[in-house]
Amino acid sequence: MTPQTPLTQEIISAEIAQARQAYAKAVEGGEPRRDHPDRGYAPYRSSVLRHPEQPLVALDDPDAVELSGPVFGVTDVTALDADLTRQHLGEPLGERIMVTGRVLGRDGRPVRGQLVEVWQANASGRYAHQRDQHPAPLDPNFTGVGRCLTDDQGRYAFTTIKPGAYPWRNHDNAWRPAHIHFSLFGTAFAQRLVTQMYFPGDPLFDHDPIMQSVTDDAARSRLVAAYDHDLSTPEWSLGYRWDIVLSGPAATWIEEGR
Amino acid sequence: MTPQPTPSQTVGPFYGYALPFAGGGDIAPAGHPDAITVRGRVYDGAGDPIPDALLEFWQPAPGGSRAGAPGSLRRDPVTGAVIGRTGLDFTGFGRVATDADGHYSIRTLPPGGAPYISVCVFARGLVHHLFTRVYLPELTDPATEPLLASLPPRRRATLLAVPEGGRVHRFDIRLQGDGVEEETVFLDFG
Ligand SMILES: [Fe+3]
């Protein structure tokens, strides 16, 4: 058996640069800008066999069920769900933070009363998940799952701790920048969004094929929260602001709530 | 200025303790005589089952209402534990993770006013979710339903649930064609 050449960061970084250049060239050549990543993004190796090769079938049907969507209410969450630091008897380790922002539709209107779910690693970069084998300590006082409903202005807010970076097996010495996973519902199922929020200035951004799968620089920058000193609480927590805009069919723009 | 959309990112491998909830696939009230089961497997482009996909389902109530109802993840206000749906309200929303063999199943009621159940697919390796539909053959005529009729037969077949008897339907999802089996038709709502 021939020994396998290790898949180094250098190789992945070269592929990332290549994909970025190809995208820039396509835009120069008149292709539309893309807000979302290309599903077949080879530097993220798990995408290779998990993306459709046939074009999506465009559907412009005013009767589509997907133009409505599930609703959630106060029974779907409990008051403590938005504070990830208070779900156990003790305080979790790490840097306490507040993350808040607004959820908007493409028309700029707030998405009201909808479910926002978050999940994240602990301060050491370890998920409370059985399959996470990263040899970093679990924190008995931190699970890393939160939920809330957006208010009348579309606002959400979570108190949590800053997650750590963690290694993964995409390539040799692959590390994910610190991030919080977000799951969002709009007023239409077609507005559904699952994404990740990053922290400003993380040196791992350029190395990470998941973040870089968004090849448009401006779009990618919208994944990064802003540190907001006004959101920091004296002697308690640091504040980050991150607004989220849901894409979705134009038909839902005129629909205000339900 | 219109606000610019936030890009999608993969759900990753570690959502299992965060997103699925107890009773997520039990959309029909317990013991409802009209309940149907939709089950199947999710496959990748090598024909291998995907053990870490997350599927969400959304559909009208049997009477045709698309208003939905809260309470899919009904929680105990003291402990925060999911206690499940009331068993009375039809919320129209379901969420299940695939198991180690790539299997999933939901129990629901036939949708009213539309012959399909809408599906949103998330998975590790999938950087942007995908939408598809489970068309129930007893509710539709594939020759006249506009979307189905617009597709060549091989593609159309990927959207049609296969009755297995006993109110059970099979619906497999292929994120990529494997050279033998057809890739599922995925939809873009613009
Ligand atoms: Fe993660």
Side-chain angles (χ1 to χ4, degrees), chain A residues 35-39 44 46-59 61 63-66 68-73 75-78 81 105-108 115 117 119-120 127-129 131-132 143-145 147 166 181 183 185 189-190 192-196 198 210-211 213-214 219-220 222-223 242-245 247-249 258, chain B residues 2-19 43-46 49-52 56-60 66-78 80 91 93 95 114 116 118-120 122-133 147 150-151 155 175-177 182-190:
Chain A
D35 295 310
H36 293 290
D38 192 343
R39 292 183 181 88
Y44 177 26
S46 305
S47 80
V48 173
L49 289 170
R50 293 186 171 196
H51 73 278
E53 292 171 328
Q54 308 250 19
L56 305 192
V57 175
L59 205 59
D61 172 10
D63 270 342
V65 166
E66 292 83 356
S68 60
V71 293
F72 299 93
T75 61
D76 291 301
V77 296
T78 59
D81 286 351
R106 290 207 56 184
D107 56 2
L115 184 67
E117 298 164 283
W119 69 103
Q120 63 168 87
Y127 282 93
H129 194 292
R131 291 226 321 274
D132 184 358
T143 306
V145 178
R147 286 166 216 90
Y166 62 82
H181 295 266
S183 157
F185 290 85
F189 200 42
R192 190 80 178 84
L193 179 69
V194 165
T195 186
Q196 302 180 25
Y198 299 88
I210 291 184
M211 189 201 202
S213 68
V214 182
R220 193 169 59 254
R222 296 197 289 273
L223 292 172
W242 191 50
D243 290 338
I244 300 156
V245 178
S247 4
R258 218 177 299 265
Chain B
T2 44
Q4 299 300 300
T6 305
S8 165
Q9 294 270 271
T10 179
V11 75
F14 296 134
Y15 55 81
Y17 72 103
L19 296 182
Y43 295 99
D44 70 11
I50 297 182
D52 44 15
E56 288 184 346
F57 301 86
W58 165 243
Q59 63 162 93
R66 300 175 183 194
S72 298
L73 298 71
R74 198 169 54 115
R75 310 180 86 81
D76 182 311
V78 179
T91 70
F93 176 70
R95 176 190 279 170
Y116 58 87
S118 184
V119 188
C120 188
F122 302 92
R124 177 178 67 83
L126 186 60
V127 294
H128 191 185
H129 59 260
L130 288 163
F131 287 107
T132 187
R133 287 174 174 176
L147 170 62
S150 74
L151 298 168
R155 303 285 292 142
L175 296 191
Q176 193 178 88
E182 185 71 22
E183 180 177 295
T184 298
V185 168
F186 296 104
L187 304 171
D188 179 8
F189 297 97

Side-chain angles (χ1 to χ4, degrees), chain A residues 9 15 22 24 60 97 104 111 117 122 168 191 256:
Chain A
Q9 180 70 54
E15 290 183 20
D60 181 20
I97 60 171
L104 305 170
V111 170
E117 298 164 283
N122 69 22
W168 60 309
Q191 288 179 294
E256 170 72 336

